[in-house]
Structures are given as C-alpha cells and as structure tokens.
Amino acid sequence: MPESRPSVLFVCVHNAGRSQMAAGFVRALSGGAVEVRSAGSMPAEQINPAAVEAMAEVGVDLRGQQPKVLTEDAVHASDVVITMGCGDACPYYPGKRYEDWQLDDPAGQGVEAVRPIRDEIRRRVEELLTSLDVTPATTPAP
C-alpha cells in the first residue's frame, strides 16, 4: 500500500444520509486504499435509519457511525471534497478538488425511496475511486 493514501471528505447538511452512505461505500469498496471522512454543516442527532437499512441490504454497516460537524481541518486534510447540498456552508480552499453531487435528500424518506439514492451514490463512488487510481471492489468487504 502506498505511504500516502488519497483522502476524500463527503459533506452534506446533516451528515446523516448521503454523506454517510458515500463514506460507507468508499470504506467498503476501496479496501482501505482511500482515507475517508464525512461531516455536516448542521449535523443531525443520528444517522437516518432508512439509510442504515438501505446500506445493510448491500452489505455495508453504518450502525457505528455518528454525524460529525464539518471543520476547516477536515477540509484542509482532504484531497477531494464532495459536497451534497450544503452550498455556501462548505469552506473552500484553493488547490483542493471539489465536486458537487446533486442527489435527492433521503431525510424523512422510507427505505424504498432511499434505495435509488444509495445506488446512485455507489455508482458515483465507483467513478471517484477509478479517478483516484483505486480499483473498486465488486462487492463490499465484510
């Protein structure tokens, strides 16, 4: 494994759905080759239960994760910052790679509505890993 792993930060408002699912997919599909963080500009009390259930269906366990507040340190320490609907609340640093993923918000949705969001996040995470020269696993690591 290289000494310096690429680092990705996923940011959404509550850090309870989209950013947690994306971080879970990076952990599961990168085999540890990518350092991953997630945070929110206004973190929720807990992760969206429908997001936890939808991810469990594909073998990714989010039960131990907690929403975290976005810090400038987290942005500064990351090579790639991916925002998901937090707009101007996300700090900007020159020289960082930024992407804004337009995704439906799973807040208040049932698992049926979260599944297509989960599947789109997985597709984008696989593209992201490929762009970082990391071959995504075909199935999540146990």
Side-chain angles (χ1 to χ4, degrees):
M1 185 179 299
E3 280 186 51
S4 176
R5 297 183 297 167
S7 176
V8 178
L9 170 65
F10 293 100
V11 183
C12 65
V13 175
H14 299 298
N15 189 222
R18 295 166 290 188
S19 57
Q20 290 283 353
M21 289 190 288
F25 274 130
V26 169
R27 281 190 294 272
L29 299 176
S30 75
V34 176
E35 184 180 4
V36 63
R37 298 175 181 86
S38 70
S41 52
M42 295 174 22
E45 293 287 318
Q46 66 181 22
I47 295 181
N48 178 340
V52 172
E53 183 179 344
M55 293 298 285
E57 291 175 352
V58 295
V60 179
D61 186 359
L62 296 182
R63 290 176 298 177
Q65 302 300 315
Q66 285 294 320
K68 296 172 250 356
V69 70
L70 175 64
T71 65
E72 287 194 20
D73 287 345
V75 176
H76 190 68
S78 300
D79 300 314
V80 182
V81 179
I82 297 179
T83 58
M84 302 171 169
C86 65
D88 294 336
C90 300
Y92 177 82
Y93 289 96
K96 299 283 176 195
R97 174 177 157 193
Y98 285 86
E99 292 183 21
D100 185 47
W101 290 2
Q102 297 293 320
L103 297 160
D104 290 337
D105 188 346
Q109 304 285 337
V111 71
E112 298 79 18
V114 174
R115 286 182 187 122
I117 300 167
R118 172 202 66 200
D119 295 344
E120 176 62 13
I121 290 170
R122 181 181 183 140
R123 185 190 68 75
R124 292 182 189 209
V125 163
E126 288 171 344
E127 287 179 358
L128 172 68
L129 292 175
T130 299
S131 78
L132 295 172
D133 294 325
V134 173
T135 302
T138 53
T139 58

